[in-house]
Amino acid sequence: MGDRKQARDEEFQSFVIGRWPRLMRTAFLLTGEQHAAEDLVQSTLEQAYVAWRRVGSADDPEAYVRRVMINAHARKHRRKLREFLARGDDFGLVREVADTGDRIAQADDRGALLTALAQLPPRQREAVVLRYWEDLTETQTAEAMGCSVGSVKSNAAKGIAKLRAIPALADMATQGGRK
């Protein structure tokens, strides 16, 4: 019995080490704050550890954990009448570990993008983050958000439209196209 528990613990530890940067990035984009993102990922991983037998045997454990994280974030938001996203200093952005191929992470003015993203309503922000930052399909995003593909399309379209209407982002896109 001890060997099975140790093997399960090692499997979970390997999962956490391999997925931590991506989970942190997603949580940061959802919450807009480094400490809140860390709390969200840690509480999500606590839940995943308790149910690791089920999670580890799922077809896609990362998708399962991402769904737990989205649900935890949504529950937290439902408890509050309004979610306050403090822009804060850029020190939180420096500590975020970006994937090597993440072009958004390499952008000069991520602050404008993150500030704009923080202004979106939670469901639109979730849809935009999962579809365009995490590059999930509409079906995967719908599964992660616990809604229909139509809701994903609607929330993502509304979120992108709001982002396009922000002058700072429009200027950034225009300047980026000329380089």
Side-chain angles (χ1 to χ4, degrees), residues 120-131:
L120 295 178
R123 294 300 278 182
Q124 290 177 15
R125 185 171 56 246
E126 289 171 4
V128 170
V129 166
L130 294 173
R131 280 287 292 133

Side-chain angles (χ1 to χ4, degrees), residues 14-149:
S14 175
F15 175 85
V16 171
I17 290 168
R19 305 311 193 292
W20 182 265
R22 188 173 182 138
L23 291 171
M24 275 299 298
R25 182 183 64 207
T26 302
F28 180 80
L29 294 169
L30 291 172
T31 64
E33 186 180 8
Q34 184 73 24
H35 296 294
E38 290 171 356
D39 289 345
L40 179 59
V41 172
Q42 288 176 2
S43 64
T44 298
L45 290 174
E46 286 173 12
Q47 292 176 36
Y49 179 75
V50 169
W52 186 248
R53 220 179 298 199
R54 188 171 4 120
V55 175
S57 64
D59 291 339
D60 187 354
E62 186 174 356
Y64 191 107
V65 170
R66 188 183 313 111
R67 174 70 187 265
V68 170
M69 184 167 33
I70 295 292
N71 288 343
H73 180 259
R75 273 192 309 275
K76 180 182 176 195
H77 178 72
R78 278 194 295 267
R79 281 195 301 261
K80 294 181 178 182
L81 292 176
R82 182 163 184 212
E83 183 174 289
F84 294 96
L85 295 172
R87 183 179 185 316
D89 295 327
D90 286 342
F91 70 88
L93 301 178
V94 174
R95 288 184 277 151
E96 179 188 358
V97 179
D99 293 346
T100 55
D102 187 355
R103 290 185 179 193
I104 296 173
Q106 299 166 358
D108 292 335
D109 193 4
R110 292 182 69 216
L113 181 58
L114 293 172
T115 299
L117 194 59
Q119 294 172 8
L120 295 178
R123 294 300 278 182
Q124 290 177 15
R125 185 171 56 246
E126 289 171 4
V128 170
V129 166
L130 294 173
R131 280 287 292 133
Y132 300 105
W133 219 299
E134 293 299 323
D135 200 27
L136 298 182
T137 65
E138 289 170 342
T139 303
Q140 291 169 325
T141 303
E143 289 172 5
M145 291 176 62
C147 64
S148 69
V149 171

